[in-house]
Amino acid sequence: MSFVVALTGGVASGKSAVERRFEALGIRAYDADVAARAVVEPGSEALAEVARTFGANALDDEGRLDRAAMRQRVFEDPSARIALESILHPRIRAWLHDAVTADQGPYCILSIPLLVENRAHYAWVDRVLVVDAPEAVRIERLTRRDGIDAALAAKMIAAQASREARLAIADDVIVNDGDEAALDGAVAVLDRRYRALALL
């Protein structure tokens, strides 16, 4: 297994933009969101369990997970979120661990939005990188990106771990509160650091 850097941050903090920059430097990134889609492909055990638990309206007309409907449901009902996470998270963790174990690079990125909430399950990572942005910036990004109102954006942010809890587990922090191009330099510095740490 290569040196593993867990990348996290609250919704709309800019994790994907940071992840893309590491990939541009030749570093593989294994994303929990990609894993979450992979484990609920049509015909999968996870998708069948979601349909049994939440009913046929959890699926769209093509028999795939209806993400928009489920997102709304879990943010309105904490017990639904817990039920969905109990189905998906163990499978997502297994998918990610398998991917990282097979990685041949100097180090790799493990992108996990809910790392704080699931930190004990990822005790095997070597380092934690947090992408941080003020709540007001994140709300503005969410309303623009997802076409939702500020109230739902604030609820989505509130449903996750606090900014303080994320910063408390960080080994490294990138503040992403301005122009996305500013991330280039920050990622380049960390890339050099991680390559050096991976050699130790």
Side-chain angles (χ1 to χ4, degrees), residues 127-155:
R127 204 159 179 92
V128 175
L129 168 58
V130 171
V131 184
D132 185 47
E135 185 171 320
V137 171
R138 294 165 61 205
I139 287 174
E140 191 276 329
R141 286 175 183 162
L142 274 171
T143 55
R144 189 178 65 232
R145 183 188 81 187
D146 294 358
I148 59 175
D149 63 28
L152 180 56
K155 270 176 110 171

Side-chain angles (χ1 to χ4, degrees), residues 2-200:
S2 62
F3 189 86
V4 182
V5 178
L7 169 65
T8 194
V11 61
S13 61
K15 293 180 305 298
S16 297
V18 168
E19 186 179 316
R20 284 193 300 274
R21 282 160 173 80
F22 278 108
E23 289 180 318
L25 295 171
I27 299 302
R28 289 292 305 271
Y30 302 101
D31 193 311
D33 290 338
V34 172
R37 287 182 182 87
V39 300
V40 291
E41 280 294 307
S44 67
E45 182 185 319
L47 187 62
E49 192 171 338
V50 168
R52 281 195 303 273
T53 304
F54 293 98
N57 59 353
L59 307 182
D60 65 18
D61 294 339
E62 296 176 354
R64 295 183 171 276
L65 183 67
D66 188 334
R67 294 184 180 283
M70 288 304 297
R71 184 182 305 127
Q72 186 81 25
R73 194 161 171 181
V74 300
F75 282 115
E76 290 173 356
D77 179 0
S79 67
R81 190 183 84 233
I82 291 166
L84 184 63
E85 289 175 354
S86 72
I87 295 167
L88 300 185
H89 285 190
R91 293 174 170 96
I92 292 167
R93 288 193 294 271
W95 189 98
L96 291 169
H97 192 270
D98 289 348
V100 166
T101 301
D103 188 80
Q104 300 295 312
Y107 71 93
C108 65
I109 299 294
L110 191 63
S111 184
I112 309 171
L114 302 179
L115 182 63
V116 172
E117 297 87 333
N118 295 281
R119 183 68 179 101
H121 296 293
Y122 294 98
W124 46 270
V125 304
D126 297 294
R127 204 159 179 92
V128 175
L129 168 58
V130 171
V131 184
D132 185 47
E135 185 171 320
V137 171
R138 294 165 61 205
I139 287 174
E140 191 276 329
R141 286 175 183 162
L142 274 171
T143 55
R144 189 178 65 232
R145 183 188 81 187
D146 294 358
I148 59 175
D149 63 28
L152 180 56
K155 270 176 110 171
M156 289 171 71
I157 289 170
Q160 294 185 335
S162 70
R163 188 177 179 193
E164 294 73 22
R166 274 190 298 278
L167 293 173
I169 66 165
D171 295 300
D172 305 295
V173 178
I174 291 178
V175 177
N176 180 31
D177 58 358
D179 188 343
E180 193 177 297
L183 296 173
D184 294 342
V187 169
V189 168
L190 288 172
D191 175 64
R192 290 192 291 273
R193 179 181 303 166
Y194 297 151
R195 286 176 189 271
L197 286 170
L199 296 173
L200 297 178

